[in-house]
Every structure is written in C-alpha cells, then in structure tokens.
Amino acid sequence: MTIMNMHTYLCGWPLLLLLLASCATPIAPTGGPPDRTPPEIESTHPENETIRFDGREFEFRFSKFINRGSFQEALQVEPDLGIPYDVDLGRMSATVEFSRALPENTTIILRIGTELQDTRNNSLGAPYSLAVSTGDEIDDGVVTARFFSAESGDRLEGRTLFLYREPFDLSSRANYIAQSDTSGRVTLSYLAADRYRAIWVDDANRNRQWDRDRERAQPLYDEEIELGKGEELDLGRLHLQERPDTTAPIIEAVGLLTTNYFRLRASEELVWSDDARIVVTDTTGTELGEAAPLFLLPEDSAILMAQSGLDTDPETRYQLRLEGFQDLSGNPLQERSDPFSGSAEPDTIQTRIIGDNQLPGLRPDEPFIAGYNKRIVDPNITDSLRVVAGDQMIRDWPNVAVDGHRLIISPDDEWTSGRTWQFLIWNPIREQLRPIEPTIWQRGDMGGLDLTLEEPWQETEVQLRLESQDGSVRVDTSFTGGLQLADLPPLSYRITIFDDQNSDGRWNAGDVMPFSPPEPIRIYPSVPVQEGFDSELSLTLDRFDPTEELNRDAEPGDSEDGERAGDFDTDVPDGNPVPE
C-alpha cells in the first residue's frame, strides 16, 4: 500500500464510522403524507386479567416509537396503593416496577390514558387498562357516567371522575380516577363490590386529591352508591359548571364625554331589561334625572355608553343608581357607582348609526329598529326616511317612532308578503341615506314547537330557556306538562330545561360538602325549527334514567304548533350592536 493510499485508507475511517452511526438511529422517511395513525399497545406482560399474580413488574410494548414524557403523564395505577414505582422507558416499550410486593387479594389496574403520544404527537386512540389480581379472581364491577357542559350541553372530554371507597375521606387521594372520552363517557372498571362515593374534580395539579380551596368539584345525584359483585352501574349525566360566575358586577369608573354623555366601565359585560334605569343622584341619594343606556362598545364590551337629559356641573359631585342590569351569568349589578364630578364639555359628538335588528330576519309583524349612538334630535333622521315596497317608494311612512336613540319603523299590520322591502335611513356621518334590505319571514316561513315533558316529570314545573344559535331569539319561561311555541323563525335553537328546586331562577349545580344534589337538568344543544312546520318534541330531565342509551343524546329533529310563550328579545341596539 502506497503512502497516499495509506493516507486515504486511514482518513476514510471517520467517514465510515459516521455513516455507520447514522444508520443506527431510526429516521422517518421524508416526503409523502404525514403520519396520523395513533400508537397501539400491542402486548403486555403479564397479560390482561392475569390472576394469582405475584410479581412487581409490568411491561407494555407499543406499535410505534413513544414520546417518553407522555407515558408517565398517561399512566395511572388503580386503586391508589401508596407503593412507589419506577418507570424504565425504551423506544417502543415501557416497564413499571413497584418497590415492594403488591397487596394480597387485590385487583390492580394500570391505566394508560390518551395523553400517551408517539414521536409524531399522535395520541393513543382510547384509554387502555391492564388488570391483574393477586388473588383468585378479578374484580368485575363497572361504574360509568357522562359529562356535559352546563352552558352549551356539549359532551366534555378529559374531565376527571374521583371514586372513593368506603370509609370516605374526601381530603385524601381518591382510590380510583378516570377521565371522560370524546363522547363524554367515563368508565371505571375492575371494581370490587363495595360502597363508593363519586364526584367530579377539576384536578388541576393531577395529584388525584381534591384541594377544596383551589379546585372545583361537583357531586353526582346520589351521595353514595352501592356496587354489587359484577354489577354495571350507570351514574347518569353530570352537567359541569366548570367556571361558575357568582360575583356581582360593579361599575368601576364613570366618565363624562360631554355634560350629559356618560362612559361607564363595568367589571364585565352587562345586559339589561327593557325597563332598566340609570338614575342620576347627588351624593345624598336625591334623584336629579335619568340617563338612558345606549350601547356597549364593540371593541370593549365592558364599556357602556349612556345619555342623560340632565346637564351636569363640573363643581358638583354625582352618583348613579342602576336598576335592571346584570352580567351574562344573571348576577345583578351592584346598584350604586362611586361619586364623580360633572363636566362642562359641550356636546360635539356626531350622531351615527350603531346597529339594527335586521339579522337573521324580521317576523311579519316585527318592526325594524335602527340604533344610533345618542338620542335622536336631528329631524333629518325622521324627515328623510324612505320606505321602498317592491317598486314603490313611500316618502311619508306613517308608522315611524323615535324612542330615545332608536328609530322604529313598524308595518301597518304585517309586512306584505310577496314584496321586497327596503328602508332608506339617514346616515348623519356621511349625510346620505343608507339602504337596508332585511329578510322578512312571512307566516308560511315560521315554524313552531310543541313541547311535552316525559314521565315522571309531567307534574313538575320546569324552567325553560330557548335561544337561537345566533342569539337573536330568546324565550325564558316556565311550564308544567307541556308548552306550545309558535311563530319561531326557521333557525336552530338550544333548549335548556331544569327543575328550579330552590326557586332562585337559576340552575344549581349542588354541593359536595355538605352534600346537596344538582337540580335535574337537560340541555338539547341543537333543535331545528323547520320552515312552515310545527314539530313535536318530548323532553326529559337527568335525574337519571340508567336504561337510557347513549344514542338518545343525539340532537332531536322533528317537532309542532302552539302559542308563543315568553318575550322574544329583538332589541338589538340595547345589546351588542353591529358597528357601522
């Protein structure tokens, strides 16, 4: 071998070693569609449902390379044995070894949750349970429940059920825990015959212990349950009020843009009734005048604009008393504001359109309402109004009214069917007419719902809340036995019914300690009203029916006619107006 060849031979070794090292590390091939297949557990040792197990080591083998950190997050040992264990992770395997012998005559479950991911971040398709017994038989009791949102009625995934075995100590770690799957169902299996207590806990730190000072919890309908040998017990539905708002909103600040134009900052978004009042008083509480609520700022829905007929004085201190206001959770607004000084700023605010009630459409007898940002005093707004009916322009429409900051255009009786209606309203900013052509539903377009309570709720007075998905139509009423709702626009609605057992007008989620069960409730998230049809719908409450199948959770379809109940809220400018 020549010197040159020897040099080439020796210098080639690092390159050869580098190539060999590269071949030793698995690399996913480039190109092609991304890997979206979930990992699977191909085998375990010992096998599932092994009896007389006397070891301390459990091995899982996977179909794909596993994200190591996700295994420890996904692993749960049931019941809580209080025995430390170590986890040894390979690329496609994991071994769990306990530090001392397992208790005798006990069914032990190692659950792998859907937090387990492969190196492509694909999650395990469904929770997996490996159950073994150190005795002669596997415990075979099963407890199930279903979690739903108390606000939307949607199924809730990943919510944790705590199960305590008698004697119950809710300050200790739960004996068993499980999380809900994508259908909202939570299942605890391989349970011994015994008495149990089940609660939902927002286990934020995942330590399977309820921290009463920081973590939310809710009871199920029964304080305790008794599970027989081999029994499958369905605990029914639990509607979770995960972030209940019980704090009364307050007015944090009052500012004056002019002598009579108020800017109120609330602690959160407000809603108000038609008879809501803002009373201007001096600091002793003597009434001086009133201010009308106008609208919420689109860019900051906690800011309310209002206007008074009273001109304030910068040398005088005032207060506001607000009546008929609440937050979105129904908490009444704290009545009084802090004192504030008046203003000498002249009114230079230009009048502009802030919204209307044209969406999603008008009922045949419903007025069109346009909202302005201040009281209507400009005569052009009424004098220049034009109504176009088909090909006919009407300059002096007789049914026009001004209510504070709202321009109200009403039909003679109903908007005539077969015509296209257009409203030309004055836009003071641009000094021109703004054309608005709303959808107007005719009688044949409207639908209805005939609601009937199923047994055993026929004699129970229930609260009903119906709301279209766009928020344009709302009904809030109570009934017993049945209820007919007519003249509903052909939209999709959410229906909530509940048994208001404490008569406070609000659904109560119950208390864990001392035990108080939730008020029976049911939410139908999407009930369609069909154009020109009346539909029948049977309603029930969740107190619970263990024979009910999961497919009955599906959204109801067809339903029929009757009388309208409650008031439809079409006063859009007093809510969240669409900015111009």
Side-chain angles (χ1 to χ4, degrees):
M1 183 178 294
T2 64
I3 293 177
M4 180 177 295
N5 287 340
M6 178 66 74
H7 176 77
T8 304
Y9 176 77
L10 293 173
C11 292
W13 272 105
L15 177 61
L16 178 59
L17 291 172
L18 178 62
L19 290 172
L20 289 174
S22 299
C23 293
T25 303
I27 299 176
T30 58
D35 179 9
R36 294 289 183 263
T37 58
E40 297 178 356
I41 297 176
E42 292 191 325
S43 64
T44 65
H45 182 79
E47 294 182 354
N48 189 39
E49 299 192 357
T50 294
I51 60 174
R52 305 185 189 93
F53 179 69
D54 59 1
R56 295 186 297 171
E57 191 173 284
F58 298 81
E59 183 183 34
F60 298 84
R61 291 200 168 271
F62 307 105
S63 62
K64 304 172 72 176
F65 294 108
I66 294 300
N67 180 320
R68 294 173 175 236
S70 72
F71 179 84
Q72 302 225 37
E73 183 181 357
L75 175 65
Q76 295 174 2
V77 179
E78 310 290 345
D80 183 23
L81 301 173
I83 302 176
Y85 58 82
D86 293 320
V87 176
D88 183 19
L89 293 165
R91 294 303 303 276
M92 299 178 67
S93 67
T95 302
V96 180
E97 183 177 5
F98 288 86
S99 63
R100 60 179 186 268
L102 302 175
E104 296 179 354
N105 299 315
T106 302
T107 297
I108 298 157
I109 310 105
L110 276 69
R111 301 190 198 276
I112 309 299
T114 54
E115 297 88 351
L116 180 73
Q117 294 183 330
D118 62 20
T119 52
R120 298 285 189 179
N121 297 323
N122 299 306
S123 297
L124 190 68
Y128 179 90
S129 295
L130 168 61
V132 302
S133 174
T134 57
D136 294 333
E137 61 181 11
I138 295 280
D139 293 326
D140 53 0
V142 178
V143 167
T144 62
R146 283 163 283 162
F147 289 145
F148 293 82
S149 167
E151 285 76 36
S152 67
D154 295 335
R155 300 180 178 93
L156 295 177
E157 179 184 5
R159 304 316 193 265
T160 306
L161 183 70
F162 278 23
L163 194 65
Y164 297 86
R165 195 170 178 177
E166 194 174 39
F168 313 121
D169 181 2
L170 301 190
S171 65
S172 65
R173 288 163 59 89
N175 298 104
Y176 299 89
I177 66 172
Q179 290 189 328
S180 55
D181 59 19
T182 55
S183 70
R185 181 180 289 272
V186 58
T187 302
L188 288 157
S189 51
Y190 301 110
L191 299 176
D194 207 338
R195 293 187 65 80
Y196 294 91
R197 183 168 184 188
I199 62 173
W200 163 74
V201 176
D202 180 18
D203 189 20
N205 56 13
R206 300 177 61 85
N207 68 349
R208 65 190 299 155
Q209 191 166 358
W210 176 32
D211 184 342
R212 294 185 62 183
D213 294 329
R214 291 181 291 181
E215 293 175 340
R216 283 276 301 151
Q218 271 183 228
L220 278 74
Y221 285 105
D222 293 301
E223 184 174 13
E224 299 177 11
I225 57 174
E226 185 163 355
L227 182 67
K229 181 177 173 58
E231 184 178 3
E232 295 187 12
L233 186 58
D234 182 0
L235 304 184
R237 295 163 168 249
L238 181 64
H239 285 80
L240 300 185
Q241 196 174 46
E242 297 184 282
R243 295 173 182 82
D245 179 6
T246 58
T247 303
I250 63 171
I251 297 299
E252 297 178 331
V254 178
L256 280 160
L257 303 185
T258 71
T259 59
N260 66 353
Y261 203 89
F262 294 85
R263 183 181 188 272
L264 285 68
R265 171 173 287 282
S267 56
E268 56 184 304
E269 183 176 348
L270 301 175
V271 293
W272 56 93
S273 59
D274 290 339
D275 58 353
R277 300 174 68 214
I278 301 178
V279 181
V280 183
T281 73
D282 60 20
T283 53
T284 68
T286 302
E287 294 190 13
L288 304 176
E290 289 194 16
L294 300 175
F295 62 96
L296 301 173
L297 287 187
E299 63 272 19
D300 188 345
S301 57
I303 294 179
L304 168 67
M305 310 306 292
Q307 189 178 18
S308 170
L310 171 73
D311 288 330
T312 59
D313 183 339
E315 302 299 323
T316 304
R317 300 280 283 172
Y318 300 90
Q319 279 187 283
L320 299 181
R321 188 176 76 244
L322 296 98
E323 302 169 0
F325 292 80
Q326 60 185 24
D327 63 17
L328 298 178
S329 298
N331 299 302
L333 177 69
Q334 183 176 300
E335 191 173 80
R336 283 193 173 277
S337 73
D338 291 334
F340 59 91
S341 298
S343 172
E345 188 69 27
D347 184 1
T348 58
I349 298 173
Q350 286 188 288
T351 304
R352 60 186 178 87
I353 301 169
I354 57 171
D356 56 55
N357 67 335
Q358 65 169 310
L359 295 177
L362 303 179
R363 295 189 299 280
D365 59 351
E366 181 180 359
F368 170 76
I369 303 172
Y372 288 78
N373 67 324
K374 58 190 298 187
R375 290 178 182 273
I376 296 174
V377 294
D378 183 353
N380 284 323
I381 292 176
T382 52
D383 293 348
S384 63
L385 172 67
R386 301 291 184 266
V387 174
V388 180
D391 56 1
Q392 179 185 7
M393 178 178 287
I394 304 169
R395 294 180 177 272
D396 297 313
W397 186 255
N399 308 309
V400 179
V402 170
D403 178 16
H405 69 297
R406 298 176 301 171
L407 177 68
I408 303 171
I409 307 170
S410 302
D412 288 330
D413 183 25
E414 293 186 354
W415 302 112
T416 306
S417 62
R419 284 186 173 183
T420 299
W421 291 89
Q422 187 181 69
F423 307 111
L424 304 176
I425 62 174
W426 184 245
N427 183 344
I429 293 288
R430 298 182 180 177
E431 296 188 337
Q432 62 184 29
L433 291 172
R434 174 180 173 180
I436 296 174
E437 190 173 307
T439 297
I440 297 178
W441 288 306
Q442 299 304 321
R443 291 294 175 190
D445 300 327
M446 308 299 278
L449 291 173
D450 189 350
L451 308 177
T452 303
L453 284 173
E454 297 179 358
E455 293 291 349
W457 304 104
Q458 273 284 320
E459 304 302 319
T460 302
E461 182 180 33
V462 300
Q463 295 290 319
L464 176 136
R465 290 173 183 166
L466 175 144
E467 183 174 8
S468 59
Q469 292 184 345
D470 62 4
S472 63
V473 180
R474 292 189 291 272
V475 177
D476 195 337
T477 188
S478 61
F479 71 98
T480 302
L483 177 67
Q484 293 180 323
L485 300 174
D487 293 333
L488 292 175
L491 303 171
S492 184
Y493 297 86
R494 179 171 66 245
I495 293 178
T496 301
I497 59 170
F498 64 96
D499 181 6
D500 186 16
Q501 295 175 342
N502 63 359
S503 302
D504 65 351
R506 302 170 64 174
W507 178 70
N508 190 325
D511 292 303
V512 174
M513 296 177 66
F515 174 74
S516 172
E519 292 177 337
I521 186 173
R522 174 63 69 93
I523 300 176
Y524 297 84
S526 182
V527 178
V529 168
Q530 300 181 46
E531 182 177 318
F533 286 91
D534 300 320
S535 303
E536 294 180 348
L537 180 61
S538 294
L539 306 176
T540 189
L541 296 170
D542 297 325
R543 170 59 188 103
F544 66 96
D545 180 4
T547 65
E548 184 182 54
E549 297 297 330
L550 186 61
N551 61 16
R552 293 215 27 215
D553 297 341
E555 294 148 358
D558 302 332
S559 313
E560 282 183 5
D561 176 86
E563 227 171 79
R564 179 169 129 205
D567 293 325
F568 291 96
D569 184 354
T570 57
D571 199 0
V572 175
D574 273 358
N576 278 320
V578 179
E580 184 185 13

